[in-house]
Amino acid sequence: MNPPLNGRTLDFDRDGNCLAIIDQTLLPNEEKILRLETKEEIFEAIRSLRVRGAPAIGVAAAIGFAVTAGGIKNNDKRAFFNELDSLKEYFAACRPTARNLFWALERMRGAAENNKNAEIEDIKQLLKDEAEKIIIEDIEICRKIGENGAALLNDGDTILTHCNAGRLAAVEYGTALAPVYIAAERGMKIKVYADETRPLLQGARLTAYELCEKGIDTTVICDNMAASLMAKGTINAIFVGADRIAANGDAANKIGTLPLAIAAKYFGVPFYVCAPLSTFDKNCLSGADIIIEERSGDEISTLHYKERKTPENAKYYNPAFDVTPRGLITAIITEDIGFRI
Ligand code: MRU
């Protein structure tokens, strides 16, 4: 089957007047493209993880900002800029943890500011151009992350990954899976163990889907099986993504990443975090400053939106991310091979 959206996870559509995404809540059983025009539709899609993964959230917000700014009717410059500020604030409330969301919105608002003397219609067009640049840069940056990470792999290696930090979490390639894709392009055979990633099963549903689509040898495991594989010596390296990286290198990623890093340290397995520089937040001095999203207990009580599996009066604690201290990370792989914390 031809991948929808020409292999991209998200893009402009309808002459730049809508954001097109693959609805990731339906994968792997249904490949449905959603075309979103209003700020409410775009907000809901990010909030409910129809589009998710830090880089993809940033790109969705950039396209969403450009699309909805294009629909502003006010011809007064000051009122137009006030509406841009409201849009920025609105989209910034979608999800709190992924730095890329805020990075993209700041860049989009900054692009308008830098051209504040232009006509409103020209500003609307340059916002679309800026979002298009972010899309292209995302593809190039993820490819570079892939090249830098592939240098750490040997033919025949088996890696473990958590959540989905592949092409579905970006425009193409992804971050943690980019090294696998680049290695495969070079004819190397890499095996991947994908943690299922409770509660929303991004590993079982999304990582396994996209790896299998590319013909990569993929094995899905429950989250509680990873340490035993490390103990057996099956895993050569762990590759994960990140939602926000603090100035000291502490990295927030999908809940369940931290126990993997602890086990990896114990068993001497290299633990790599792959992320674009736009995921770094110098305003967070350490991981303690990173805001961790808490989501509904319904995600725990049901197995991926199905019927409840828990007693009616149980309580829930559902943080979407955890923070891995820098000391447990072997290396952070970015697009810049010379980058140092
Ligand atoms: O809640 P999600 O699915 O948006 O969480 C995604 C992750 O934790 C990814 O690992 C992270 O965003 C890196 S994606 C390249």
Side-chain angles (χ1 to χ4, degrees):
M1 187 187 295
N2 272 340
L5 295 175
N6 295 322
R8 289 184 180 180
T9 303
L10 68 169
D11 209 344
F12 277 109
D13 204 357
R14 294 193 185 131
D15 293 330
N17 292 314
C18 83
L19 161 66
I21 60 165
I22 302 167
D23 185 345
Q24 297 191 29
T25 63
L26 302 177
L27 289 174
N29 298 323
E30 195 184 339
E31 286 179 348
K32 183 173 175 189
I33 305 293
L34 300 177
R35 291 182 172 77
L36 312 169
E37 287 173 3
T38 67
K39 64 178 188 182
E40 291 82 9
E41 286 171 339
I42 294 165
F43 184 98
E44 191 279 334
I46 298 175
R47 179 84 199 126
S48 58
L49 277 61
R50 298 184 197 286
V51 56
R52 32 68 49 210
I57 291 172
V59 174
I63 299 177
F65 188 85
V67 164
T68 49
I72 296 174
K73 297 276 181 285
N74 212 318
N75 287 326
D76 173 71
K77 189 66 89 57
R78 185 186 292 237
F80 175 76
F81 271 87
N82 285 343
E83 288 205 40
L84 289 186
D85 284 335
S86 306
L87 276 179
K88 180 175 170 232
E89 212 176 304
Y90 182 76
F91 287 126
C94 290
R95 295 187 71 187
T97 306
R99 168 66 193 142
N100 312 59
L101 170 70
F102 305 91
W103 169 87
L105 290 170
E106 280 155 23
R107 179 160 157 181
M108 293 298 289
R109 182 63 183 83
E113 194 61 30
N114 293 340
N115 293 277
K116 60 176 181 243
N117 294 327
E119 298 295 325
I120 287 179
E121 287 313 306
D122 294 335
I123 298 173
K124 288 179 179 177
Q125 183 54 49
L126 72 85
L127 284 174
K128 288 183 181 166
D129 296 343
E130 191 67 19
E132 190 63 46
K133 266 193 232 159
I134 290 176
I135 294 173
I136 301 299
E137 281 173 26
D138 182 83
I139 297 170
E140 291 169 356
I141 286 169
C142 287
R143 198 178 158 89
K144 281 200 188 117
I145 292 172
E147 285 165 359
N148 296 340
L152 299 162
L153 289 169
N154 296 306
D155 197 12
D157 271 358
T158 298
I159 69 140
L160 176 83
T161 190
H162 188 68
C163 194
N164 173 264
R167 78 167 182 88
L168 289 165
V171 182
E172 280 182 35
Y173 299 109
T175 57
L177 296 187
V180 176
Y181 291 137
I182 300 298
E185 264 179 37
R186 294 176 181 164
M188 290 162 67
K189 295 246 176 298
I190 306 295
K191 289 190 193 132
V192 180
Y193 277 87
D195 275 355
E196 67 171 349
T197 316
R198 277 285 279 148
L200 292 182
L201 306 179
Q202 288 94 329
R205 296 184 304 106
L206 308 176
T207 296
Y209 162 82
E210 61 165 89
L211 287 171
C212 290
E213 195 183 44
K214 296 267 187 215
I216 309 282
D217 185 329
T218 306
T219 306
V220 178
I221 56 169
C222 298
D223 299 329
N224 49 7
M225 298 169 187
S228 77
L229 281 175
M230 289 184 232
K232 277 192 200 164
T234 308
I235 307 297
N236 298 108
I238 297 177
F239 284 76
V240 296
D243 286 82
R244 194 182 289 241
I245 303 178
N248 71 345
D250 293 350
N253 190 49
K254 179 52 58 191
I255 190 77
T257 302
L258 172 62
L260 282 182
I262 294 168
K265 187 74 157 187
Y266 184 80
F267 291 113
V269 177
F271 185 89
Y272 299 115
V273 172
C274 302
L277 293 173
S278 53
T279 303
F280 286 75
D281 185 356
K282 61 176 177 357
N283 293 319
C284 288
L285 296 183
S286 78
D289 298 325
I290 299 176
I291 295 174
I292 300 294
E293 176 180 13
E294 274 194 46
R295 297 183 63 87
S296 162
D298 295 349
E299 294 179 353
I300 297 180
S301 63
T302 62
L303 188 62
H304 199 247
Y305 311 121
K306 296 278 184 337
E307 77 275 14
R308 188 159 47 78
K309 300 279 191 295
T310 52
E312 223 166 296
N313 50 357
K315 294 193 283 185
Y316 303 96
Y317 169 57
N318 185 17
F321 304 98
D322 57 25
V323 175
T324 300
R326 175 68 179 95
L328 296 179
I329 300 170
T330 309
I332 301 178
I333 302 167
T334 71
E335 64 270 34
D336 178 359
I337 196 107
F339 176 78
R340 298 286 176 274
I341 292 279

